[in-house]
Every structure is written in structure tokens, then in C-alpha cells.
Amino acid sequence: KKKKNAYRVTLELYRGDQQVEEHPVLDLLYNPNPVQGQVEFFQSLYSYLLISGNSYILESGAENTPPIELYTLRPDRIRIKGSSRAIPDAYNYMVGGQIVESYEVDQATGKSKIKHIKLFNPMDDYYGLSPIVAGAYNIDQHNLAGLHNVGLLKNGCTPSAMLNFFFFF
């Protein structure tokens, strides 16, 4: 029985109607880098995308040649350097508040060593919107209601205080 997880999808390559059995692209996607196989690579790619709304793939290899390795980068470490256009100027990789590496974006083609995959965000031109952020209010409300109920149960379902009003006529 085949697994149906998104990161375990069987990858197939076609040229027209003809399936291509062997190709460097398939080799790269099945073995993207020395520390991750296909499953780990796509699991981190999809997890970053769903948690942060953004996922970044770094290609490794010589300039103007096909990549020889692919890496996913932590979205919390990427700062996009905006421009006056929809195409950013650069992707800056940050560690400890310092730029460790900067990946320039060709303004004519949009090509970069970084491939940015993002979810729709109506309020930002460069960063995606996480589904968790969209539901944060409801998540917080649910968590607070749970804390209230636990506190009430710990107190034997007795309110911690009571306010009485006496009316004298």
C-alpha cells in the first residue's frame, strides 16, 4: 500500500506524453543533499510553509549551471530586502541578528539562489501568511477557555468569590 503523505508523493517526470525514467532533476529531488532524503526534504519544506506561511529552498552549485544540492532554510532566519518593485532585491540569511549570507535577486529575471514559496497574504508583498496566524484569535480563545475550565475544576467547581447585592427599600 502506497503512503499518501504529501512528502512521500512519487515523483514522475514527463517530456510531452513520454515518461522519463532517469534524469538529473529526479536524482536531485530524491537525494536533495547529504543530510536529507526526499521525505525529510519535503517534510521540512511543507512544515515550514504551513507553520510560517513561507518556505525557502537554497540551490547549491556553480553559477549558470543546474544545482547539485537543494536545502530548506529556516523561515525565521530569512529577511527579505524589498525594492520598489514586486521582485525583492535580496534574501538575507540572519543568525544572531547578523547577516550571514545575502542572496541577490536578478531584477530582470527574478532569478536567485533562493526559491521562495509562500502562501497568500493580502497584507504583505513579500511574506506569506501562515494559516496559524489567520486562526490565532480562535486558537487563543480556545486555550483561555481551557485554562478557565481547569482552574474551575481545581477549585471544586466553586467560584473563588461571590458578590451579593442587598437591596433595602
Side-chain angles (χ1 to χ4, degrees):
K1 183 176 176 180
K2 289 186 177 182
K3 300 282 185 187
K4 303 226 184 219
N5 298 337
Y7 50 86
R8 290 185 183 265
V9 170
T10 301
L11 303 171
E12 296 178 351
L13 180 63
Y14 286 85
R15 180 171 284 130
D17 292 338
Q18 185 69 32
Q19 183 175 358
V20 178
E21 296 292 332
E22 292 184 21
H23 195 278
V25 169
L26 290 173
D27 296 339
L28 183 62
L29 292 174
Y30 280 118
N31 295 298
N33 61 64
V35 295
Q36 290 180 312
Q38 175 200 1
V39 171
E40 295 87 4
F41 177 81
F42 282 103
Q43 187 175 31
S44 64
L45 179 98
Y46 298 140
S47 296
Y48 286 145
L49 185 63
L50 293 173
I51 292 169
S52 77
N54 300 282
S55 199
Y56 301 92
I57 302 171
L58 172 64
E59 69 174 44
S60 177
E63 290 293 324
N64 299 320
T65 62
I68 57 171
E69 294 175 345
L70 300 174
Y71 295 90
T72 54
L73 300 177
R74 284 180 36 184
D76 61 314
R77 290 187 171 173
I78 297 289
R79 297 292 174 270
I80 298 174
K81 182 179 176 189
S83 70
S84 60
R85 302 178 42 196
I87 297 173
D89 282 335
Y91 295 96
N92 294 326
Y93 188 74
M94 313 283 289
V95 176
Q98 302 295 317
I99 297 175
V100 174
E101 191 70 51
S102 187
Y103 303 99
E104 302 295 321
V105 179
D106 184 323
Q107 292 298 303
T109 64
K111 183 156 175 44
S112 174
K113 289 267 190 196
I114 299 283
K115 172 61 180 163
H116 181 192
I117 302 168
K118 64 181 179 175
L119 297 178
F120 176 70
N121 186 347
M123 305 301 287
D124 197 303
D125 293 331
Y126 298 116
Y127 294 98
L129 180 66
S130 165
I132 295 172
V133 171
Y137 178 79
N138 289 332
I139 292 168
D140 288 345
Q141 187 177 31
H142 173 77
N143 290 340
L144 289 172
L147 288 173
H148 171 269
N149 290 339
V150 167
L152 193 59
L153 288 171
K154 283 183 177 178
N155 201 22
C157 294
T158 305
S160 58
M162 184 181 293
L163 184 59
N164 286 324
F165 289 98
F166 295 99
F167 294 101
F168 297 99
F169 294 101

